Amino acid sequence: MSDLTVGFDLDMTLIDSRPGIHAAYTALAAETGTFIDADLAVTRLGPPLEEELRHWFPQEHVAEMGDRYRALYPAYAIEPTPAMPGAHAAIEAVQGLGGKAIVVTAKHAPNARLHLDHIGLRPDVLVGWLWAEAKAEALREHGASVYVGDHVGDVRGARKAGALSVAVPTGPCDAEELAAAGADVVLPDLTALPAWLTEYAATRA
């Protein structure tokens, strides 16, 4: 199965980024004196940062605040962020089949790399700054036949790439919403991926 390439989303698929993102928003709010409801913000992770910042800052300040958030992020968000249950086993399952595991995320790639290094996840490729349908660019470039994510945007990206959409309801979208968006497979969480992947690889072979 050396031609097997499986893509993964990062936030709420491979990592539980809520504690770290909460801390980073809290730091940005304290520094700017602007109210940000961090509890609310972490319930709608997935889309690009700027979409969330528009709820709290005027449009003309969004780009500047995005840059500042990303600068604060390493000091506040990496250490408190754990791997999702099954994340290590999911990556290892792909690589154990002789395949390539790639992470395609909307997150700023240097900060995504800090997360992966901190929790010891070792994908073969990391691509950042891509959201929803734009993820299809990287999935096609690397020949991914499967994309695993937690958001309807991940489903749309997989479908545009012609990849199988495997969804886990561990983020803001529930199983019904993911299925309605067109997910080909909805697993209860990432711990179910290795068994599914073994069966997929066998039928594909």
Side-chain angles (χ1 to χ4, degrees), residues 1-124:
M1 294 302 297
S2 59
D3 62 338
L4 173 69
T5 298
V6 178
F8 292 87
D9 174 53
L10 184 63
D11 287 5
M12 303 312 299
T13 300
L14 290 173
I15 64 172
D16 184 351
S17 49
R18 291 172 296 186
I21 289 176
H22 191 287
Y25 277 131
T26 300
L28 183 65
E31 184 178 286
T32 61
T34 299
F35 174 71
I36 300 173
D37 187 339
D39 290 335
L40 175 59
V42 298
T43 67
R44 47 192 185 199
L45 300 181
L49 167 67
E50 283 72 17
E51 289 193 21
E52 183 62 39
L53 292 176
R54 288 188 187 100
H55 293 289
W56 314 110
F57 295 96
Q59 178 60 37
E60 62 269 22
H61 295 308
V62 165
E64 175 193 356
M65 290 300 103
D67 289 344
R68 187 59 191 147
Y69 171 96
R70 283 184 275 265
L72 290 167
Y73 194 93
Y76 291 93
I78 306 303
E79 199 282 328
T81 297
M84 293 293 281
H88 290 87
I91 298 286
E92 290 161 7
V94 176
Q95 295 167 337
L97 289 165
K100 185 168 67 172
I102 68 172
V103 172
V104 183
T105 175
K107 192 181 289 297
H108 183 46
N111 288 341
R113 171 59 62 194
L114 291 174
H115 279 302
L116 295 172
D117 290 348
H118 176 71
I119 60 179
L121 279 178
R122 302 282 181 260
D124 299 283

Side-chain angles (χ1 to χ4, degrees), residues 158-175:
R159 295 185 71 82
K160 185 171 182 183
L164 200 70
S165 171
V166 176
V168 286
T170 49
C173 304
D174 64 25

